[in-house]
Amino acid sequence: MQKGFVNMVLIMMVYLTGISLKAQDADSLFTSANKFYQQENYLEALDLYKKIEGQGLESWSLYFNMANIYYKTNQVAPSIYYYEKALLLDPNNRDIKFNLEFANRMTLDNIEPLPKSLGQKFMDGIVLKFNYETWAKIAVGLAFLFALLFLLYHFSYSTSKKRFYFITSGLCVIFVTTSVFFAFRNKHYVDNNTQAVVFSNAVAVKSAPTKSSELYFELHEGTKVTVLETLDNWKKIKIADGKMGWLDASSIKEI
């Protein structure tokens, strides 16, 4: 029993040491890559950024810097792809939104988006304002605040203070519930609304998942689409103006 416990501890120590060394290596690579980036040695910087990405690590700053390099080297699809990935991790970052807007201007497809319903505006303006991890952290923070206010209410002898702590703790419960709801709605939306970017110079969007089917329209590099369905080597997609169709799965890259 004792030997098994010791082995488990040793395994945990090796695991944690591996994580620590991996993080240190990533930090070192990121620092070196940033130096290359500042010196405008973009290819060298990009190579190091890709090594970090290859380790399964991600951050908005990593994707943002990669997107900037692709933008500076006039690579439309990769720049939009990585700006979108950065925006998923930091939805309110103005720099990402600003640069993404410029990158989108390089695309050939001029798609007029459909007007948004009240539900979509609420989703975009409130629920998707933060990612689901942030909403979850907000909920946890408010839960701790509720616990503190409840203790203060319990041990307070002043009637006015008791009333204040009771009201504020009640509000905390409401806000915790709301934050948890938003976190679940956000996660459900992200999981069920797979976005992708067209990487082919041009791709035919067809009426059915066959080569001989009717051509609906054509999309070009950098256009963002929503993936609705997958069938063999085909993807059913929808674009911002509501049009739908099937295209070759290899022509797009999911965000």
Side-chain angles (χ1 to χ4, degrees):
M1 182 75 175
Q2 220 172 16
K3 186 177 180 181
F5 177 75
V6 171
N7 288 337
M8 186 175 70
V9 171
L10 288 173
I11 291 171
M12 286 297 295
M13 288 177 65
V14 170
Y15 175 72
L16 292 173
T17 301
I19 292 176
S20 177
L21 290 174
K22 186 177 180 180
Q24 289 176 10
D25 180 51
D27 287 341
S28 176
L29 286 173
F30 193 67
T31 301
S32 299
N34 288 343
K35 288 181 180 178
F36 280 128
Y37 182 87
Q38 291 166 2
Q39 295 165 1
E40 298 186 2
N41 295 323
Y42 296 130
L43 295 180
E44 290 87 346
L46 185 60
D47 183 56
L48 295 181
Y49 288 138
K50 284 183 176 179
K51 285 183 179 179
I52 298 172
E53 184 186 25
Q55 294 179 7
L57 301 174
E58 61 177 11
S59 70
W60 75 264
S61 54
L62 170 66
Y63 293 144
F64 182 66
N65 287 356
M66 292 176 72
N68 285 338
I69 291 174
Y70 284 120
Y71 179 78
K72 289 175 183 292
T73 53
N74 296 313
Q75 298 183 67
V76 181
S79 66
I80 292 174
Y81 174 78
Y82 281 104
Y83 281 135
E84 291 285 358
K85 285 180 75 70
L87 201 59
L88 279 178
L89 297 177
D90 192 359
N92 296 308
N93 191 303
R94 292 183 180 180
D95 290 334
I96 300 173
K97 291 180 179 180
F98 183 79
N99 287 14
L100 176 59
E101 186 178 341
F102 273 92
N104 281 326
R105 292 177 184 176
M106 295 194 296
T107 60
L108 295 177
D109 298 321
N110 185 20
I111 301 171
E112 190 69 30
L114 292 172
K116 292 182 178 180
S117 65
L118 287 176
Q120 290 172 323
K121 289 179 180 178
F122 176 78
M123 180 66 71
D124 291 344
I126 305 295
V127 179
L128 298 179
K129 189 172 181 64
F130 304 113
N131 59 38
Y132 63 89
E133 291 181 349
T134 301
W135 279 120
K137 290 175 182 177
I138 291 172
V140 171
L142 289 169
F144 276 111
L145 180 60
F146 163 75
L148 175 62
L149 290 169
F150 181 79
L151 287 173
L152 290 171
Y153 166 79
H154 184 73
F155 290 106
S156 178
Y157 294 102
S158 169
T159 304
S160 59
K161 286 183 178 180
K162 271 186 172 292
R163 186 183 298 110
F164 173 77
Y165 294 138
F166 178 81
I167 293 172
T168 51
S169 61
L171 290 173
C172 277
V173 171
I174 295 172
F175 291 144
V176 167
T177 305
T178 303
S179 299
V180 170
F181 172 74
F182 285 171
F184 276 107
R185 286 291 298 153
N186 188 296
K187 185 70 166 62
H188 181 267
Y189 180 87
V190 171
D191 289 345
N192 291 277
N193 287 269
T194 303
Q195 306 294 312
V197 174
V198 176
F199 267 68
S200 297
N201 289 331
V203 58
V205 182
K206 302 199 169 187
S207 60
T210 60
K211 290 183 178 179
S212 59
S213 58
E214 179 188 356
L215 174 66
Y216 269 176
F217 53 93
E218 195 174 63
L219 294 177
H220 300 86
E221 181 183 9
T223 298
K224 185 179 173 182
V225 301
T226 300
V227 179
L228 302 176
E229 190 179 340
T230 301
L231 181 62
D232 296 328
N233 296 323
W234 293 86
K235 298 277 188 182
K236 186 177 183 180
I237 59 94
K238 182 179 181 180
I239 57 177
D241 62 4
K243 292 179 183 176
M244 292 184 285
W246 294 85
L247 49 69
D248 189 329
S250 62
S251 64
I252 61 174
K253 191 172 181 179
E254 294 183 2
I255 299 170

